[in-house]
Amino acid sequence: MAPTDLARVDFTELVPEPVPFLGQAAYIQLEFFESLARSVATAPTLTSKEGLSRAAGVALRKHHAFIAELRRLGVEPVDVMAPFAPAADRFRQASAGADWYELLLGIHVTSGMLDDYFARLAGGLPGEIAARVRGILAEDASSEVLHDELFAAIEAQPGLADRLALWGRSLVGDTLLIARSALRASDSADRAGDVEPVFTELIAAHTRRMDALGLTA
Amino acid sequence: MAPTDLARVDFTELVPEPVPFLGQAAYIQLEFFESLARSVATAPTLTSKEGLSRAAGVALRKHHAFIAELRRLGVEPVDVMAPFAPAADRFRQASAGADWYELLLGIHVTSGMLDDYFARLAGGLPGEIAARVRGILAEDASSEVLHDELFAAIEAQPGLADRLALWGRSLVGDTLLIARSALRASDSADRAGDVEPVFTELIAAHTRRMDALGLTA
């Protein structure tokens, strides 16, 4: 497989409904925040705590920026987010892993795929919202710190790479299911076939992310 | 006891060392952030989650603002914070309580007292730092949301008031010990006697905070 050879898919064919799109995006950032905050609380060193606390702050800012977009549309954010909570909560628990390193890889893999996915899907939103959503998702404070923490740990701990490679692979299916539910929520279920090439791109980006850690995806 | 009758103490007699002051203040905000993030993760409703997430964001901003002040002084924040971590970690665990309501009251009582204390102590810092530190601590997003959550819960749940009154009283001693250690860290142990009237004011403010919840302090 040479995933990087794939043509870039024009994703603006898919037209998500703004309100459920923003509601799910907001709630997912809150989940990333909760996972990052947990990684701060359980970090083995103060230096790790410090780096991860910045990533947690960025996820929280993204969450609040999506909340602000929902208010701008005149809807109550809590009501809009509520339907997405059960599946997203299960997803966060399922990707939390068995220890701090699995927690970190869980955030790295799932936020890497979903931020990318939501940014692509945003292309189909109405004019200005599309640009603002892409702006919100463009701020990335977590991937570098997560990569660096994981890279250092994998170098230092023999055997960790094998375990994390397995763990990373196991996260992809659930993450794609959350991505697919974003389309269903937007009443675009009938267009779901259009999204397959995008999933292929997300998996390709996942493979590159794992490769960068020396892990077989 | 009529604590509100006490004259306001001129706290600028106490002259804290900027570096340890900022280090401890930074680390304590990180602890408040961790506790607030935990309250977000375990909140019973999405509305509560939403309100508390803003408070968590503010504590994190305060933490990062203190980190920025330390960098401005040319020191490595992690090195400066490290000596305060063990006592502060124990303090956070001791004030976490047995359930979500005790966690909330723990944050309300300890952050109420310590933010006030550090803001007063800041008066003795050199010129511009004093003003900036007071500016950092002036942002308060947590006391209102914590008060409102606790007030509603106390009204709704018979018996909760008695348990929380007891819990609130038990937090004061440990909080004052952390406050006192802020002076020791600044090599102002010999001036510690000057601080007693301030402690009396902190306890008076604590009493008002508990009164506002209908709890006997």
Side-chain angles (χ1 to χ4, degrees), chain B:
Chain B
M1 188 168 80
T4 49
D5 292 344
L6 287 165
R8 179 119 186 165
V9 176
D10 179 9
F11 208 33
T12 54
E13 296 162 14
L14 293 158
V15 182
E17 285 290 323
V19 168
F21 174 93
L22 293 168
Q24 188 176 22
Y27 198 78
I28 283 175
Q29 292 300 327
L30 186 62
E31 298 283 10
F32 291 147
F33 164 71
E34 288 187 24
S35 296
L36 284 163
R38 186 170 160 182
S39 80
V40 171
T42 55
T45 71
L46 197 40
T47 302
S48 300
K49 217 183 246 292
E50 200 43 44
L52 291 164
S53 77
R54 285 178 197 278
V58 172
L60 195 57
R61 267 206 298 284
K62 289 181 183 174
H63 168 69
H64 289 142
F66 284 128
I67 295 286
E69 290 296 326
L70 285 167
R71 290 201 195 284
R72 207 191 270 254
L73 295 176
V75 295
E76 170 49 49
V78 163
D79 297 341
V80 179
M81 287 190 292
F84 300 106
D89 288 347
R90 277 195 304 275
F91 174 63
R92 174 171 50 80
Q93 281 154 18
S95 53
D99 65 5
W100 190 70
Y101 304 103
E102 290 190 6
L103 174 64
L104 260 53
L105 187 65
I107 304 167
H108 192 45
V109 164
T110 62
S111 70
M113 291 178 79
L114 290 178
D115 276 12
D116 189 8
Y117 180 74
F118 279 98
R120 285 162 187 260
L121 202 57
L125 291 169
E128 280 191 11
I129 300 184
R132 285 201 303 269
V133 165
R134 285 182 156 166
I136 292 167
L137 289 170
E139 190 183 11
D140 175 17
S142 66
S143 67
E144 191 178 331
V145 62
L146 292 168
H147 168 86
D148 291 351
E149 288 286 351
L150 288 164
F151 193 86
I154 288 165
E155 277 213 321
Q157 299 179 37
L160 186 58
D162 289 345
R163 177 156 68 86
L164 288 183
L166 200 64
W167 173 239
R169 278 197 291 278
S170 77
L171 293 163
V172 174
D174 283 350
T175 309
L176 292 179
L177 283 176
I178 288 284
R180 187 176 293 280
S181 74
L183 283 178
R184 274 202 301 277
S186 295
D187 298 318
S188 306
D190 52 324
R191 312 290 304 274
D194 299 347
V195 86
E196 292 303 339
V198 179
F199 280 13
T200 309
E201 286 200 34
L202 294 182
I203 292 167
H206 167 72
T207 303
R208 288 193 292 276
R209 209 174 285 119
M210 296 284 278
D211 278 350
L213 289 170
L215 303 176
T216 312

Side-chain angles (χ1 to χ4, degrees), chain A residues 20-145:
Chain A
F21 173 93
L22 292 168
Q24 188 174 23
Y27 198 80
I28 283 175
Q29 292 301 325
L30 186 62
E31 298 283 10
F32 291 147
F33 163 71
E34 288 187 23
S35 297
L36 284 163
R38 185 170 161 179
S39 80
V40 170
T42 55
T45 71
L46 198 40
T47 302
S48 300
K49 218 183 247 291
E50 200 43 46
L52 291 164
S53 78
R54 286 179 195 278
V58 172
L60 195 57
R61 268 206 297 285
K62 289 181 182 175
H63 167 69
H64 289 142
F66 285 128
I67 295 286
E69 290 296 327
L70 284 167
R71 289 201 198 283
R72 207 191 269 254
L73 295 176
V75 294
E76 170 49 48
V78 163
D79 296 341
V80 179
M81 289 190 290
F84 300 106
D89 289 347
R90 278 194 303 274
F91 175 62
R92 174 171 51 79
Q93 282 154 17
S95 53
D99 64 6
W100 190 70
Y101 304 104
E102 291 190 6
L103 174 64
L104 260 53
L105 187 65
I107 305 166
H108 192 46
V109 164
T110 62
S111 70
M113 290 178 79
L114 290 178
D115 275 12
D116 189 8
Y117 180 74
F118 279 98
R120 285 161 188 261
L121 201 57
L125 291 169
E128 280 190 11
I129 299 184
R132 286 201 303 269
V133 166
R134 285 181 157 166
I136 292 167
L137 289 170
E139 189 183 10
D140 175 16
S142 66
S143 68
E144 190 177 330
V145 62

